[in-house]
Amino acid sequence: MAGYNQYSFVKEELEHDSKVIIKELSASLEKYLLLHDYGEIESIMRRFSLIEVIQSISLIDENSMPLLTIRKDVNKELQLEINTDKKYTNIEKHAGFFFTEDNHSYFSYKPIGNSVKKKWVMVEMSKEIGYARLMDLLLLVNITGIILIGFLSFIIYKIIYQPLKHIEYLTSFSSTLHKSYGVNCEVNSSIYEINSLADSLNQLSQELLKNQAIRTKQNEELRVFNTELTSRVEEEVLKNREKDILLLNNSRLAALAEMIGNIAHQWRQPLNAIALLIQSLQISYELDDLNKKEFNEFVDDSLLQVDYLSRTIDDFRDLTKDEIDNEPFNVSEILSKTFRLIEPSLMNASIQSTLDIQDGIICHHSSANALSQAIINILNNAKDALIQQDVNEKEIHIQLKQVGTTIEISINDNAGGIPTEIIEKIFNAYFTTKHQSNGTGLGLYISKKIINKEMDGRLEVINNAKGACFRIVFSNSRRIC
Ligand SMILES: Nc1ncnc2c1ncn2[C@@H]1O[C@H](COP(=O)(O)OP(=O)(O)OP(=O)(O)O)[C@@H](O)[C@H]1O
Ligand SMILES: [Mg+2]
């Protein structure tokens, strides 16, 4: 491909050159041909033959026979050939300039003179010299190109690469080692953009330094703030925990007070009975009417009342005593005892209670206190709701059952249920619909908390057809600590 291109290039070059030469030559010969001045013709042909690439020049007559030929020999000497018998074929079929070639040369022909005495000028050009000339040209172009590239590279290196490299070095240097000192990039380039790049870099570096200082300050402030925040959060968490403990204790105290109120109520009747018995004993004694049988009856009746009092105290003690870790307890008994303590106040409010307690349900984790406290809160709420709604036949139904390992206590009332707009809020602390003097809004909040925490159980509420239904659900098995 490269050879073909070179060949075509040389051919085109020589064709072009030959056209110019033959045009000039014909113009010069024209006049002398009319004058038949063959001496001048020869000298003109000789002058043109001195052109390096020209191998021979011929003047050819109308019969295609050469009249005059000037040819270079091997020593590049010009030789004159006259009237050789070499006949040029195919000339007559051309009307004007034409170009042919053989292995060694390119030939260009141009007609000269008038149509009657038409002659031809032929110029032969050496392919070998043409190629050599091209090679010289290419060599020159290559050398010039290489010199130019070298020069350009040098310029690029000097005025672009070197300053850029310097900038790059300073940039990386400043981003690693000299963070705190910044960078001062002194570039003296003849290219305006590079100098302005260096200036921008210096400015950027100064800005970075400033920003770094601001960031360090902000980091320090943030660190101090974080430390303060952590200690403040810890303080608040501690306060919250203390508040929870306080709330829990308050709620326990409230439950105890409720129970003591109930005990006082329960004790009034047997104490009255004992007082009456003592009075009748005293009267019988004063009337001298006291026999052994009556005395024994008095003792039995009194002991019965005392026994009732003592049982109430036992129930109370059982529900308030400290629990031993992981001591199992009988849920059925705890529920009965809790109910017994609150029953008188329910009866006082004309509430009909029904119990459906499955016997012998044992829970293997010590949370009897929590359970009884929650039950008291729920029962008191039910009592309050029934009184407030002034229901005709006030009812509370308590059920205890175990399904598999799940123990479930449900407490239903017929007070109409909890309004849907507040049902989501009743477990929130301090939420109450009762007048402040009647309710703190902590009962259900504490109950839910202790059932969650101390029993790993859950306290939930739904409204059924007649009223509210609270469910305490927990597992009978030991908690995984
Ligand atoms: N059985 C129920 N029927 C209707 N509403 C109820 C029932 N139980 C609770 N509520 C509603 O839930 C609210 C919150 O109950 P919670 O026990 O937490 O507080 P409280 O009873 O108002 O006050 P506290 O228990 O501290 O004396 C009650 O004020 C009441 O409006
Ligand atoms: Mg309550």
Side-chain angles (χ1 to χ4, degrees):
M1 192 61 135
Y4 170 78
N5 285 340
Q6 276 181 14
Y7 170 81
S8 314
F9 180 70
V10 171
K11 188 178 173 185
E12 270 170 30
E13 281 291 296
L14 291 182
E15 187 174 349
H16 172 78
D17 287 358
S18 69
K19 251 188 196 169
V20 175
I21 292 169
I22 211 164
K23 197 176 161 201
E24 285 294 314
L25 180 63
S26 323
S28 307
L29 293 181
E30 193 99 53
K31 189 172 91 187
Y32 297 104
L33 204 61
L34 284 173
L35 298 171
H36 297 283
D37 186 350
Y38 285 96
E40 193 54 36
I41 288 172
E42 183 194 333
S43 80
I44 291 170
M45 284 169 66
R46 277 183 184 278
R47 274 209 305 277
F48 274 86
S49 298
L50 292 174
I51 297 170
E52 192 188 11
V53 76
I54 292 179
Q55 196 59 37
S56 69
I57 297 177
S58 283
L59 184 66
I60 303 161
D61 70 9
E62 58 274 22
N63 302 314
S64 304
M65 296 299 290
L67 291 172
L68 200 66
T69 300
I70 304 292
R71 184 180 301 283
K72 265 185 203 145
D73 65 15
V74 283
N75 301 320
K76 305 220 168 152
E77 296 290 324
L78 298 181
Q79 302 300 336
L80 174 69
E81 296 168 6
I82 300 171
N83 294 335
T84 54
D85 51 2
K86 175 182 177 181
K87 182 174 165 69
Y88 290 88
T89 49
N90 294 332
I91 287 184
E92 51 280 1
K93 71 175 183 188
H94 294 278
F97 174 83
F98 70 97
F99 189 77
T100 61
E101 66 178 300
D102 67 12
N103 287 343
H104 307 288
S105 304
Y106 293 113
F107 302 92
S108 28
Y109 298 84
K110 190 174 183 319
I112 187 171
N114 59 36
S115 52
V116 184
K117 293 214 165 182
K118 188 179 177 185
K119 302 224 175 345
W120 289 85
V121 179
M122 185 279 292
V123 173
E124 179 190 355
M125 287 183 162
S126 161
K127 280 186 177 178
E128 194 188 333
I129 295 172
Y131 272 116
R133 212 176 59 166
L134 175 76
M135 284 307 138
D136 289 350
L137 193 72
L138 285 179
L139 195 67
L140 191 70
V141 168
N142 281 348
I143 289 169
T144 319
I146 288 166
I147 291 170
L148 260 175
I149 288 168
F151 182 66
L152 275 176
S153 305
F154 178 74
I155 299 274
I156 289 169
Y157 177 79
K158 253 326 212 198
I159 63 176
I160 300 179
Y161 179 76
Q162 242 184 5
L164 281 179
K165 198 73 198 154
H166 187 52
I167 291 171
E168 188 212 340
Y169 168 73
L170 287 174
T171 315
S172 61
F173 190 59
S174 71
S175 67
T176 51
L177 288 174
H178 282 239
K179 273 186 183 146
S180 45
Y181 302 114
V183 45
N184 186 18
C185 184
E186 280 173 18
V187 174
N188 202 3
S189 169
S190 54
I191 296 182
Y192 166 77
E193 282 78 4
I194 288 182
N195 288 333
S196 102
L197 184 66
D199 287 347
S200 305
L201 182 68
N202 288 339
Q203 262 176 25
L204 192 72
S205 163
Q206 292 311 313
E207 284 297 312
L208 275 176
L209 271 185
K210 260 190 245 161
N211 285 350
Q212 203 174 346
I214 294 170
R215 220 179 50 208
T216 316
K217 200 172 152 224
Q218 283 173 344
N219 278 350
E220 182 53 26
E221 282 171 5
L222 203 68
R223 200 188 56 75
V224 172
F225 180 74
N226 272 346
T227 323
E228 276 174 13
L229 195 69
T230 315
S231 66
R232 243 186 281 162
V233 167
E234 276 168 6
E235 228 171 80
E236 285 303 315
V237 168
L238 202 71
K239 270 192 207 160
N240 235 9
R241 205 168 296 151
E242 281 167 3
K243 210 169 92 185
D244 271 359
I245 294 169
L246 208 67
L247 281 181
L248 200 67
N249 283 340
N250 283 350
S251 170
R252 275 209 178 114
L253 284 178
L256 284 180
E258 191 84 36
M259 281 199 274
I260 287 170
N262 288 334
I263 290 167
H265 190 83
Q266 270 173 293
W267 274 23
R268 204 163 292 143
Q269 240 184 327
L271 283 176
N272 277 344
I274 290 170
L276 280 174
L277 281 170
I278 292 169
Q279 265 178 5
S280 67
L281 182 72
Q282 193 183 17
I283 290 167
S284 298
Y285 178 74
E286 276 172 6
L287 293 176
D288 217 8
D289 200 15
L290 189 68
N291 57 34
K292 195 171 180 188
K293 186 177 164 258
E294 265 183 25
F295 184 76
N296 282 340
E297 272 177 14
F298 163 77
V299 170
D300 285 348
D301 285 349
S302 298
L303 283 178
L304 203 71
Q305 297 302 329
V306 169
D307 185 49
Y308 178 75
L309 293 176
S310 145
R311 216 176 49 199
T312 322
I313 289 292
D314 282 348
D315 285 352
F316 182 69
R317 198 195 52 212
D318 285 352
L319 294 179
T320 52
K321 73 177 175 191
D322 282 342
E323 286 166 334
I324 302 161
D325 273 352
N326 293 327
E327 191 187 28
F329 70 95
N330 188 318
V331 183
S332 315
E333 269 178 21
I334 289 294
L335 187 56
S336 302
K337 282 179 184 174
T338 308
F339 178 73
R340 271 208 299 274
L341 284 175
I342 206 166
E343 189 183 16
S345 73
L346 296 181
M347 281 165 65
N348 206 30
S350 313
I351 297 169
Q352 185 70 40
S353 311
T354 47
L355 276 87
D356 175 8
I357 295 180
Q358 189 181 321
D359 278 337
I361 294 182
I362 305 293
C363 179
H364 293 276
H365 44 88
S366 48
S367 41
N369 284 354
L371 185 62
S372 99
Q373 195 180 335
I375 289 167
I376 289 171
N377 283 338
I378 294 167
L379 285 174
N380 277 334
N381 281 346
K383 183 186 78 180
D384 290 348
L386 286 166
I387 293 170
Q388 201 210 343
Q389 295 299 319
D390 200 13
V391 180
N392 266 345
E393 290 181 0
K394 304 180 181 68
E395 289 169 8
I396 291 180
H397 179 65
I398 302 167
Q399 190 189 40
L400 167 67
K401 61 178 180 184
Q402 180 171 356
V403 181
T405 56
T406 305
I407 300 169
E408 185 184 316
I409 299 169
S410 61
I411 299 168
N412 288 269
D413 63 55
N414 64 342
I418 300 158
T420 43
E421 59 272 20
I422 64 160
I423 199 163
E424 296 289 324
K425 301 179 194 162
I426 61 167
F427 295 106
N428 293 351
Y430 304 111
F431 179 82
T432 180
T433 56
K434 297 164 196 172
H435 190 268
Q436 283 235 306
S437 53
N438 294 328
T440 60
L442 290 173
L444 289 179
Y445 170 73
I446 298 284
S447 303
K448 192 173 177 95
K449 210 162 191 170
I450 56 180
I451 285 168
N452 282 348
K453 271 197 179 171
E454 297 189 29
M455 302 179 71
D456 271 351
R458 58 178 203 273
L459 170 62
E460 51 198 30
V461 64
I462 51 163
N463 281 328
N464 59 24
K466 291 180 179 172
C469 169
F470 284 85
R471 284 183 349 130
I472 301 170
V473 184
F474 56 100
S475 167
N476 75 336
S477 55
R478 233 170 258 275
R479 269 181 293 180
I480 303 154
C481 298

